[in-house]
Amino acid sequence: MASQIEQQVMRRLGSAEIRYTKGRRLLVQALLEADGPRSAGDLYRELKEEVPLSSIYRSLNTLSGLGILVPHHGPGGNNRFELSDWLMGHHHHLICKSCGTVDDIRLPGQTESIIEGLVGSATADKGFKASDHSFEIYGTCGDCLAEGRNEGL
Amino acid sequence: MASQIEQQVMRRLGSAEIRYTKGRRLLVQALLEADGPRSAGDLYRELKEEVPLSSIYRSLNTLSGLGILVPHHGPGGNNRFELSDWLMGHHHHLICKSCGTVDDIRLPGQTESIIEGLVGSATADKGFKASDHSFEIYGTCGDCLAEGRNEGL
DNA sequence: TTCCTTGCAAACGATTTGCATTGGA
DNA sequence: TCCAATGCAAATCGTTTGCAAGGAA
């Protein structure tokens, strides 16, 4: 009963002769259930510390190398990872400056076209070959607003 | 002969009763000359190791706390800082996936208006209070393209 | 002179690595 | 079976902190 996405992951791993072990399976499943990027520490806790941190870091790196995961660099000094766009669909992030939570958001196709256009015009004369973009919105999330944790922002 | 921007920095520091010391002056000047965000280590080297790393980190933190600098979280596991928008003007980044260099780019006002509009429509129904955004373009810079360092991207 | 700031070294947290052992295809 | 992957502990790297000495207002 592996999900469709998991089967794509297995195929990608198989074609690179890399094994889909128990630890890697748990990790991919945890990221499938997540609604935003997760750090090694987050995953360690979410997997109830059954998978050692060093293995999590190693898997995170091999899966990123294969393009299955992508790192997300945010505040807080720890890297967060999520399943790549080709598995989960293209999306952007809503980042709370107060609690650090990162949520996924999807924009209408029309809006994405506008962004693609901006990427093109911004790099047109720079000799820079764009391959990707990130559009992230910072602010205060609903929970923090309710708790009054948005002082000084 | 302090630049206009430096005078604004001095005023901001003064109103918070925080001293503009030699180390802080050197740091602000290095960031003024930079064409993109710089990490503590970058600045340490650019200042010829005359200012100890611990002082650089401390100054980076106090200046960020005053809104003079803003942190930029990128690949490479080290935080980079730059002078805030109110000092340097609003801009975005061109990030090379190959060598990690980050360059500033400025978009036409009309384009910024479009981006502001996207921020509004993306957060309209989420109970999220947006305060800021980042729009960053990833790819391969001219130098790396010339050297053929864009394999596998 | 009075505190804020510095400089050094030690402490810290996140991530990586060496090496013997285990387990998947 | 055979080599990739794991688990543990030690090593590394970026960053923070305690404390005594120095420097700006």
Side-chain angles (χ1 to χ4, degrees):
Chain A
M1 54 152 282
S3 72
Q4 202 143 44
I5 290 176
E6 238 185 305
Q7 293 190 23
Q8 291 182 279
V9 170
M10 291 175 68
R11 226 173 291 135
R12 181 79 190 80
L13 286 168
S15 73
E17 311 225 338
I18 291 191
R19 298 171 188 166
Y20 197 38
T21 61
K22 186 178 169 187
R24 288 173 184 167
R25 190 175 353 261
L26 290 170
L27 207 148
V28 168
Q29 288 168 348
L31 287 172
L32 268 172
E33 288 169 19
D35 54 354
R38 293 285 182 270
S39 70
D42 293 338
L43 294 162
Y44 181 58
R45 277 170 244 114
E46 278 169 31
L47 298 180
K48 302 170 79 170
E49 316 193 355
E50 284 163 16
V51 181
L53 264 174
S54 61
S55 296
I56 292 184
Y57 278 108
R58 269 193 274 233
S59 295
L60 251 19
N61 284 334
T62 54
L63 295 176
S64 296
L66 291 170
I68 292 168
L69 304 181
V70 287
H72 173 262
H73 309 284
N78 46 7
N79 246 336
R80 292 162 182 223
F81 292 80
E82 59 186 351
L83 291 161
S84 296
D85 282 358
W86 66 274
L87 290 164
M88 295 296 274
H90 181 61
H91 61 272
H92 298 277
H93 294 131
L94 233 43
I95 302 169
C96 179
K97 282 184 177 180
S98 181
C99 66
T101 299
V102 181
D103 262 321
D104 292 350
I105 51 171
R106 274 150 222 288
L107 303 179
Q110 186 186 349
T111 307
E112 287 296 346
S113 304
I114 294 174
I115 294 178
E116 282 302 329
L118 299 183
V119 170
S121 59
T123 55
D125 56 338
K126 303 266 188 231
F128 185 98
K129 185 181 167 196
S131 66
D132 209 349
H133 67 263
S134 89
F135 174 54
E136 319 213 307
I137 300 176
Y138 291 85
T140 311
C141 70
D143 290 351
C144 285
L145 282 174
E147 310 278 343
R149 281 197 300 265
N150 59 329
E151 327 298 336
L153 295 185
Chain B
M1 52 153 280
S3 73
Q4 203 143 43
I5 290 177
E6 237 185 306
Q7 293 189 22
Q8 290 182 280
V9 169
M10 291 174 67
R11 227 173 290 136
R12 182 79 191 80
L13 285 168
S15 72
E17 312 222 339
I18 291 188
R19 297 171 186 164
Y20 197 39
T21 60
K22 186 178 170 189
R24 288 171 184 167
R25 189 175 355 259
L26 290 170
L27 207 148
V28 168
Q29 288 169 346
L31 287 172
L32 267 172
E33 288 170 18
D35 53 354
R38 292 285 183 269
S39 70
D42 292 338
L43 293 162
Y44 181 57
R45 275 169 246 115
E46 277 169 31
L47 298 179
K48 300 169 83 170
E49 317 194 353
E50 284 163 16
V51 181
L53 263 175
S54 62
S55 297
I56 292 184
Y57 279 108
R58 271 194 274 234
S59 295
L60 251 18
N61 284 335
T62 53
L63 295 176
S64 297
L66 291 170
I68 293 169
L69 303 182
V70 287
H72 173 263
H73 309 283
N78 47 6
N79 247 336
R80 290 161 183 226
F81 293 80
E82 59 187 350
L83 291 161
S84 296
D85 282 358
W86 66 273
L87 290 164
M88 293 296 273
H90 181 62
H91 62 272
H92 297 277
H93 294 131
L94 233 43
I95 303 169
C96 179
K97 283 184 176 180
S98 181
C99 65
T101 299
V102 181
D103 263 320
D104 293 350
I105 51 169
R106 276 149 223 287
L107 304 179
Q110 186 185 351
T111 307
E112 287 295 348
S113 304
I114 294 174
I115 294 178
E116 282 302 329
L118 299 183
V119 171
S121 59
T123 56
D125 56 339
K126 303 264 188 235
F128 186 98
K129 186 180 167 197
S131 66
D132 210 349
H133 68 263
S134 89
F135 173 55
E136 320 213 306
I137 300 175
Y138 292 85
T140 311
C141 70
D143 289 350
C144 285
L145 281 175
E147 309 279 341
R149 279 198 300 267
N150 58 331
E151 327 297 337
L153 296 184

